[in-house]
Every structure is written in structure tokens, then in C-alpha cells.
Amino acid sequence: MGTSDAANTQGRLGTPLVAVAVLDEDGTIVSWGGAAERMFGYAPQAVLGRPGASVLVHEDDRGPPGGGLDRLLADTDRDTLLAVRHRDGRRVDVGARVCPITGPGGEPQWMVMAFDVARMPWWTEERSLLDQLPSQAPVGMAVVDRDLRCIWLNDALVASGGLAREERLGRRLSEVLPDLPAADLEDRMRQVLEAGEAMIDYEFRGRTEAYPKQDRAYSASFFRLDDAEGGVLGVCYIVVDVTDRWRARQRLAILNDASTRIGNSLDVRRTAQELAEVAVPMLADFVCVDLLASVVRGEEQEPGPLGPDVPLVRSGQQSVREGCPEASVAVGEPVGYASSAPLVLALREGRSALEPVFAAGLWAEDDPLRAAKMWDFGIHSAMVVPVAARGVTLGAAAFYRWQRPESFERDDLVLAEEFVARAAVCIDNARRYTREHASALALQRSLLPQALPEQTAAEVAHRYLPAGERGGVGGDWFDVIPLSGSRVALVVGDVVGHGLHAAAAMGRLRAAVHTLADLDMPPDELLAHLDDLAIRLCAEDTGTGVAGDTAVLGATCLYAVYDPVTRRCGLARAGHPAPAIVTPGGAVDFPDLPAGPPLGLGGLPFEALEVELPERSLLALFTNGLLLVNAHDVGAGADRLSQSLSSLSRAHADRPVEDICAAVIDSMIDTDRRPDDDVALLVARTHALGADRVASWDLPADPAVVADARSRTARQLAEWGLEEIGFTSELLVSELVTNAIRYGVAPIRLRLIRDRGLMCEVSDGSSTSPRLRHARTTDEGGRGLLLVAQLSRRWGTRHTAAGKTIWAEQTLDESVLG
């Protein structure tokens, strides 16, 4: 046999030369390689034809004839230490292996391979150890050929796959383990075969025969096997079970998800729903969150054990199936359980419960509907975790599995307790906010008009939408204030900020506007007085070193007065959006009304604007919250409002103003979400008092004209069918005209207005206000205004640009109003 170049080259891992010799059946050397010559010093011609024992075996290891060589030839395919004599006489210890071969003539021969032990690395000396590594390694290892058929696998991979070695040898992965992503794995093996680049730590999940009912996670690494000449032999892959790492990562992902998704709102039910959504499907197939009814209402809950009959409300639920078919009640409905139910026990004891094997019949016999659903869906495992925060139990969350075959484990319960605890704090915060928000909202509503007063100057409707939980209770307000002369004042205001302070400041400003409106001031003058009041409220000392009501600083207000007799409307604003005026034809205009400074700043005057409105015009007053809903700026919001008002006015000219107000809100605001700021809208359709309901006369400043004024009044009342109040009206006219002649200056004018009541007005050119006096018994005068006050329902004085007007109003019976 000739020298083998492959055997006589140094290995890729730096192993020593392999000396090769061939012996015939008599032990005679018939072939001697170059590596053997270099290792032992004998040239081929010096050893060929000689007995192998005389050359290869040292005298110290010879013993009986044949000695160690006989033992070596008798124990083929095993490594043996052998002492060989070098040509120079020294001993060379080698590791040797004999393989039986067939000679050229069919005769038996032996090939002897020897390694110099002194020059062998440790892995060659401990070959038996290396031989054990693949079989005893705790990770799975396998080798596939170029057709991806398994040609070798170790014991660990056999155990993890659950199939016998004979069932896997010669077959592809897709043929034996279809519940694994075999096609994907084989694609990666082909990539490694073609490119030759190793692929490390590819994770996949699936089920094997060893774990047929639960997903396991694995990490695989692939590398190509080449022969000595670089030819491709196949692929070796190593598989590690990383299920624990996968589950830990999954639990961490759930916790991270819970921290970002739970508690994004201050709504109790929304937070409970977020808790349920986080757990499905990563942890459970169905989750329900039941909270105490008192918690949902925002009420304070006392610490301590809960009784079996505590009222619960289904506050959140989520399922892997759309519509939550496992649920026996809907979100928002009250829910009850049998006294032995795990959820009731968890509430009573304040401890979590884990039931890896869940038997519904043990506790649901008193609840056939719930038991039937559990049987139908095959719920097999459950956990119940109390929702508790700050020592108070708020409810409980129940987790169920029916689609996933694996049962809940202790680690799952620990995970559920972790993110339920986080959610419980958010739910308790939402409960506290609900309580505070309800209190603030109740205060705010008590400060707003409970009902609009009756008046005929305009048909009025309003809408008020409190802000969502992000904004909190604000300070927007509106008002409708009847004035003398059948006029009406329309008011809309907005206090900066939110919360109880804003609501209280709104109440103070609204009360101030009412008081100033009773003085019948022009709009610009009223705002000037309101501004002075705001400055005083901000500057006053509370006695604690803290400034007074700073919430009024920067508040805005729009004040409008409409007169149905003249159809003129006076307006003034303090930093508030201008109103929208819609003509009967549908044209929308935002009048060029001077803005004026917000309240509490001072230093700048307020300017008024007076416009004439056609009968049945629409006047829309609003806060900026309406314009900023679904819009980036006030201008865009004003355009949307203009389009809405115009289309509504043209298409529904006779539509009730209540419907128009509602339609504007619907068109401007998304009904699925509450606005971020309070929204107040006041819509008025103006009316006019015809000439048949107003009578006026210019009177000379002569005492003799009093009798003529009384006569004209009597005739006008008779024409209106109001004779029954004629005597009282004549007395009022007599006193008011007499007072104007005695204390006022020309021109003097008497006007009667028939509206819901009868209004008697006497105007003169003096700006001096009358004063109600209590005359003594001996006084001859001073009783006129006292008599007016006693005969009328209400009376007063208003100043005009030309002087003043003293008015008195009488109530009319319902029979004469029609």
C-alpha cells in the first residue's frame, strides 16, 4: 500500500502527523508511509518484509512472541498505547489503532495508525472523553446530510423530541415533527448548506411528542460540515430548550405592556378594561374584572373583609374570541357569584387563588348559566387575584384558560399579582378622581342656571359639555337675564383653569353679572365694573399671606343685550370670542366687535357695538372650547361653526332652536370622546314686538299733562283688553310722570309695552336717579315711589345716553296673555 497524502498531512486543528503502516495476515510489514519514516527513523526499504513486532514493538513491551502487537491486532477499532523502538534505539510512546482491511488479492491485512503521544494535545490523549461529549451533552445535537435527512442525533435531542432514534434516522424534520416550524428550520439549513456561514441562536416555538400539549421555546444554531478536501457533507445543528427564558421574557413584556397601557385615563371602568386587555392573550384566554359598585361610583371604601353579598359590577372583560362569549354578563351590569366561588373567597380573604385544574361544578351549582358556559368552552384552569390598593379591596380579577392547553402555574400567578397590583393603584386613583370630579361637577352645575327664565325677546337653547377627565371641571358659564323693557341679556363667560377654584370663581363672576345686570348698565359699562371686581378679588388678602381669587384673572366674558322693540342688540366682550349672527337667509357673520382685555388685567377700556337684527335672526354665543374641538386653531373652528350654522339655518328655517343647538354640538364634537375643555353654547332666535304691542307719547314738562297721560293710558289698555288693571296702571303712570316733571328735565316720554306683563316707562333727560324715601306722617309728598313699589311687581331705573328711564312692571293674568 502506498503512502496516503491525506493521512500524512498535519490536521486542521494542529494535530501531529499520522504514521501509517500495513501488515499482512502474518504480521509482516507490506507498506510503510512517509510519516512513519519521519516518526520512527526507518526508511521503507529497511522495514518492508520484516515482522512488525521486530520493528514496531520496543523490547520493554515485547513480552511473549508478538507481545503488544498481538494485543493490538486482536483489539481492532480501539485506541491502544504502544511502545515503539526508534531507529536510534530510543523508545517512542504512541497511540495506535488497527483497522482490518482487504489486500489487493483479497487477503486480510491490517492498517496500523500511530500518533506520537508526546506530541499529542490533550483532546487526542483523552479521546474517550471527547467520544462521550456528543452523547452526554445536555443540549440536543444532530447531523443531517445534504438532503436534510438525519444521519445522527444525540440522546438529548432524542429525549426532547419524544421519538425513538430509529424513527428519526433517515427522515427529515418536517416528516417526524410537524408541530414545529419545520419548513422554516429546513430553509435555514439550506441557507447554511449554500452559503457556508453559521447561523447562531435562531429562536422558534412549537410542540413535540415529548410536550404535545404546550408550546416550548428553542434556540437553534446551524453550521456546515465539510470534508478534508472542502466538500460539503451536511449540516450540524445544536438545539437548546430556552422555554424558561422565553417565558421570563414574555412575563417582562406583559409587565412593560401593563405599565404603558394601564392607567392612561382617570376612568374607573376604562382602567379595569385596560387591565383585562393586557392579560389577553399573552396570559389568559378570558379575563373579567369585577369591582365593587361603590368603587365604580367613586365612593370611599372602608378597609376590612368583604361579605359574600357585596354588590359587584362587571367593569372590564376581554376574550380571545370577539364579543366575550364566555361572559354571562356585560360590562356595566351587576354581577353575582355563588358563595363558594373562588372570586368571592378571594374578596373575603383578600388572598389570590390558583386552580391549575379548574372544576366549575364544585362551586357553580348555584349558577347554572355560568357553569354551562364553563363546560361549553372547556375552561380548565383559573386564577383569581384581588384588586387591592392602599389596604382597601376594590374588587377582583379572574383569569381563565380554555384555548391554551397548559394550566396556570405559580409563576403565572406571581405575574398576575404584579400587574393587577399596578392596575389597582390606577383604579384607586381613578376612583378618587371620580369622587372629586363628581363633587366639583355638582358644585359647577349648582352654580349654572338650572332653567332659563321665561321671556319673549328671544327663543333660547343651551348646551353645556363638561371637559373629559384630562381637563377636569372648568369655569365656563352662560346666562339669560330678563331686563326691563322686554329686553334680554345673553351672557357667556370662561374662567381660566379647571377644578374647584375655577368653578367657584365662575360662580362669583356669574353672581356679579346678575347684580350688575339688574342695574341696567350698557354692556361696556357692565364689563368695566366686572373688571374692577375681578381686580379686587385677585388683590384681596385671605389672611394667610396668599392672594385672593386668582382664578378670575384672565377670565373672559361676552355680554349682549337685545331689545325686541327696536330689534337692536348691544354687545361688548372682554377677551372672549365674538358671537355668530345668522340672518334668516342663512348668512353667517362674526361682527367686528372690539376684543377688549380679559377680566382682571385693567388699564384698557371696553368698547360696545350695536347692531340691528332682522326678526328671527340667530345669535350664537359660545366659549372657545367649541372652536378648539377637533381643530388646531380658533380660526379653523370658527369656519366649521359658520358652515354648520349656515347649513342648519337655510335647511331648517323654522326648526326649533333647541334642535339647532343640539345639531351644532353634534356637528362640532365627536360623540365618542369628551372634549378636552368645557364647551358652552347659547343659541337665541330673536323676536320682535310689533307696533300693536307698544304705545308711546311725548309729553310736555307741564303738571297739567298728568291727567292727559292717565287718559291715554286708559284708552290704550281698553284697546288691549286690559281694563281690569286700568286703575292701578293709571296710578303708576300718574306717579311716574309727576316725578319726571318735578325732578327731571325735558324731553319726557311715556311708553307702554304689553308683553308677559305690562311695562310702564317714563323717560326724561336727567341722569339723576330717584331715591325711595319713607315720608313722615306730616309730610305732603315723598310717597310716590313707595306707591310705585307697592303697586308693581318690580320697578327700577336705567340710564341711557339721553338721560334715564323709570319703569314699573305689572303682572298680567294668563287669560289676557293669549
Side-chain angles (χ1 to χ4, degrees), residues 5 125 131 268 277 434 459 469 475 500 551 599 626 771 805:
D5 294 335
E125 296 181 18
D131 289 340
V268 171
E277 292 173 355
T434 300
E459 178 188 353
E469 65 269 6
L500 290 175
L599 299 175
L626 181 66
R771 182 169 59 88
T805 297

Side-chain angles (χ1 to χ4, degrees), residues 61-82:
D61 198 29
R62 238 174 235 180
L69 183 59
D70 291 341
R71 295 196 306 273
L72 180 63
L73 297 178
D75 194 8
T76 60
D77 290 327
R78 292 183 63 87
D79 293 333
T80 303
L81 287 176
L82 185 66

Side-chain angles (χ1 to χ4, degrees), residues 699-716:
L699 304 176
D702 183 355
V705 81
V706 175
D708 183 49
R710 294 179 64 173
S711 299
R712 293 183 182 188
T713 300
R715 289 194 298 271
Q716 185 63 53

Side-chain angles (χ1 to χ4, degrees), residues 295-367:
V295 172
V296 176
R297 294 192 299 266
E299 300 174 2
E300 195 70 41
Q301 179 66 28
E302 296 296 329
L306 300 175
D309 298 328
V310 60
L312 298 170
V313 174
R314 177 63 50 84
S315 302
Q317 59 187 18
Q318 186 71 11
S319 170
V320 292
R321 284 196 171 189
E322 185 177 356
C324 297
E326 308 96 322
S328 58
V329 297
V331 173
E333 294 182 357
V335 57
Y337 292 91
S339 59
S340 58
L343 189 139
V344 174
L345 297 177
L347 288 175
R348 184 187 305 165
E349 299 175 3
R351 293 186 299 176
S352 301
L354 172 63
E355 296 195 13
V357 180
F358 184 65
L362 295 178
W363 62 269
E365 295 178 355
D366 297 332
D367 193 345

